[in-house]
Amino acid sequence: ETGVTQTPRHLVMGMTNKKSLKCEQHLGHNAMYWYKQSAKKPLELMFVYNFKEQTENNSVPSRFSPECPNSSHLFLHLHTLQPEDSALYLCASSLASGPSYNEQFFGPGTRLTVL
Amino acid sequence: GDSVTQMEGPVTLSEEACLTINCTYTATGYPSLFWYVQYPGEGLQLLLKATKADDKGSNKGFEATYRKETTSFHLEKGSVQVSDSAVYFCALSDRDNNNDMRFGAGTRLTVKP
């Protein structure tokens, strides 16, 4: 596998379910990101991890819980979601985040539907 | 705060037509500007970028010039192909904002043969 991979590609869940999204990067990067892409809205940055430490949380509801066990893996744990949380969730990685720009590489996304 | 506004789509063109997708930005510092492309079923890919005023980014026949005086970064291509059908996102990254990316809402382009 190369680049940034995400699993599952599609997920349907009820509001009472607990599920997790997984992202893995094979690029040797140190920063990883979660974005939410909703129809007709700009991409929303949710979380940033730099060297496994969370450096940003953009006022994301606590029903979304990220986890970064190492620089190559990033998870997004989901529980008691709402229908408005249905969206495409994109993972990205870069060499690092911060004052020196580094290009972000995106995974294909997980299409989440909350019933 | 920083923001990006791009023209709403969808845009439908015939093959070999000229393309312009407008993008303007608001930023407190001196941002870098980007165009990303998202093909169906895929994540975003960097198409081109410009890091300072008057820079021109180019790739795959697409061009965009960083215009500080008009705070714009319009995407252009002289002759589009069916394979250019995708969603295009304008974005900025501002060192004053920890280089977090700010994206426009995206413009869907469909090119018909």
Side-chain angles (χ1 to χ4, degrees):
Chain A
E1 290 273 19
T2 59
V4 181
T5 58
Q6 291 186 242
T7 54
R9 294 293 308 274
H10 300 273
L11 178 62
V12 180
M13 58 187 290
M15 288 190 285
T16 58
N17 291 157
K18 289 185 179 180
K19 296 286 184 183
S20 296
L21 309 185
K22 179 183 176 182
C23 175
E24 185 172 359
Q25 58 94 2
H26 307 268
L27 300 168
H29 289 164
N30 298 308
M32 297 187 78
Y33 311 78
W34 279 117
Y35 288 88
K36 177 182 179 183
Q37 184 178 24
S38 304
K40 298 184 179 180
K41 291 177 66 176
L43 244 65
E44 301 172 54
L45 178 64
M46 300 175 71
F47 300 105
V48 180
Y49 276 82
N50 215 358
F51 292 92
K52 301 188 297 179
E53 299 295 322
Q54 184 174 309
T55 55
E56 188 148 350
N57 175 341
N58 267 355
S59 304
V60 181
S62 59
R63 58 186 184 270
F64 295 91
S65 174
E67 178 190 1
C68 189
N70 55 61
S71 293
S72 299
H73 294 85
L74 183 65
F75 295 89
L76 188 62
H77 304 299
L78 316 171
H79 64 97
T80 59
L81 294 193
Q82 304 297 312
E84 59 265 28
D85 296 323
S86 299
L88 182 68
Y89 288 84
L90 290 166
C91 174
S93 71
S94 69
L95 278 173
S97 72
S100 297
Y101 170 74
N102 289 282
E103 178 185 345
Q104 292 183 23
F105 292 78
F106 284 80
T110 295
R111 173 69 62 188
L112 173 67
T113 302
V114 182
L115 301 176
Chain B
D2 295 354
S3 66
V4 175
T5 303
Q6 62 182 102
M7 77 186 258
E8 291 188 21
V11 175
T12 303
L13 296 173
S14 297
E15 206 165 22
E16 298 184 4
C18 294
L19 169 72
T20 300
I21 300 178
N22 291 336
C23 171
T24 57
Y25 68 90
T26 302
T28 53
Y30 296 92
S32 296
L33 302 174
F34 310 87
W35 277 100
Y36 279 82
V37 58
Q38 185 177 30
Y39 298 105
E42 298 183 16
L44 277 67
Q45 301 173 28
L46 180 64
L47 180 61
L48 55 84
K49 69 179 182 182
T51 57
K52 62 183 187 297
D54 299 325
D55 269 3
K56 177 186 284 188
S58 61
N59 186 24
K60 299 181 181 179
F62 291 89
E63 292 183 340
T65 301
Y66 189 149
R67 301 282 188 203
K68 191 168 185 293
E69 64 276 14
T70 54
T71 61
S72 65
F73 193 56
H74 305 322
L75 183 68
E76 299 177 325
K77 186 173 186 182
S79 176
V80 294
Q81 305 300 312
V82 172
S83 57
D84 294 326
S85 298
V87 182
Y88 292 82
F89 294 89
C90 187
L92 70 79
S93 171
D94 190 346
R95 176 184 291 192
D96 287 356
N97 200 20
N98 207 35
N99 270 322
D100 287 346
M101 298 292 290
R102 294 284 184 261
F103 289 86
T107 302
R108 180 176 298 279
L109 169 67
T110 301
V111 181
K112 296 188 173 181

